Amino acid sequence: NRCNDGAPPTPEAGRRIASARGGTTMSRRLVMLAVTLGLAAGSLQAQTTARDPWVRATVPGQQATGLFVELRSPTDARLVGGASPVANSVEIHEMRMDNGVMRMRAVPALPLPAGQSVKLSPGGYHLMLTGLKQPLKAGDTLAVTLTIERDGSKTETLDVRAPVRLLPADAR
C-alpha cells in the first residue's frame, strides 16, 4: 500500500484508511453489540408481564387485603406464589359461587396459558396478602415479588409495584 504521493503510509494514515473502510475492530464491536442486544431481547420476551397492578386499601387493624393484576406469559407457566415486605404471606386465592354462597379458598397455583392474559380481580382469582404489618393507605405503593414456574421446575420472579387504592364502594 502506498499513499497518493507514492510514499509508504504512516501509522496515522493506516488508521484513517481502516476507518474509511469500516475498520475491522469497529465492525466486530457492532456485530457483538447486535448479538448481545438480540440475546437480551430474547430473554426479555420469555418473561411474564404484569399490567395494571393494584392493592385494596385497608383500615387500621385489618390483617389481610387483595392484590389484583393482569398477567401474561409468552409460554405456558403457572403463578405459584409471592412475597411482600408488608405481609407475612402472599397466597393465590379463588372466589366462586358454591350452592348460592360465595366462597374463597387458597389454590396452590394459577395456570398462565401461553399468550393469554389472566386477570386477577375482585370476586375472582386474586393474591391475598395476610399478616399485614401495617395499614395500607390509598396513594401508597406496595412492592410484591411474584413467583412464576415454567416447565415444572424453572422459576422466575416478577417484581411488581402496585399502587394502593380504594374500591369504588369504599370511596363513599
Side-chain angles (χ1 to χ4, degrees), residues 83-99:
S84 176
V86 302
N88 288 332
S89 69
V90 177
E91 300 175 343
I92 306 160
H93 279 215
E94 172 189 34
M95 292 187 73
R96 65 184 176 132
M97 293 299 288
D98 182 19
N99 293 322

Side-chain angles (χ1 to χ4, degrees), residues 134-145:
Q134 65 192 49
L136 304 177
K137 301 182 307 280
D140 290 348
T141 300
L142 184 69
V144 179
T145 300

Side-chain angles (χ1 to χ4, degrees), residues 24-39:
T24 57
T25 302
M26 182 60 87
S27 296
R28 284 186 191 140
R29 286 183 183 156
L30 288 174
V31 167
M32 291 304 295
L33 178 62
V35 168
T36 302
L37 289 174
L39 290 174

Side-chain angles (χ1 to χ4, degrees), residues 1-10:
N1 278 341
R2 298 240 172 228
C3 293
N4 288 341
D5 63 2
T10 64

Side-chain angles (χ1 to χ4, degrees), residues 21-70:
R21 293 181 182 161
T24 57
T25 302
M26 182 60 87
S27 296
R28 284 186 191 140
R29 286 183 183 156
L30 288 174
V31 167
M32 291 304 295
L33 178 62
V35 168
T36 302
L37 289 174
L39 290 174
S43 68
L44 288 175
Q45 290 174 351
Q47 291 190 345
T48 302
T49 58
R51 186 169 165 238
D52 299 325
W54 65 280
V55 175
R56 184 177 180 181
T58 63
V59 296
Q62 186 175 335
Q63 291 298 300
T65 192
L67 180 138
F68 313 100
V69 63
E70 186 176 326

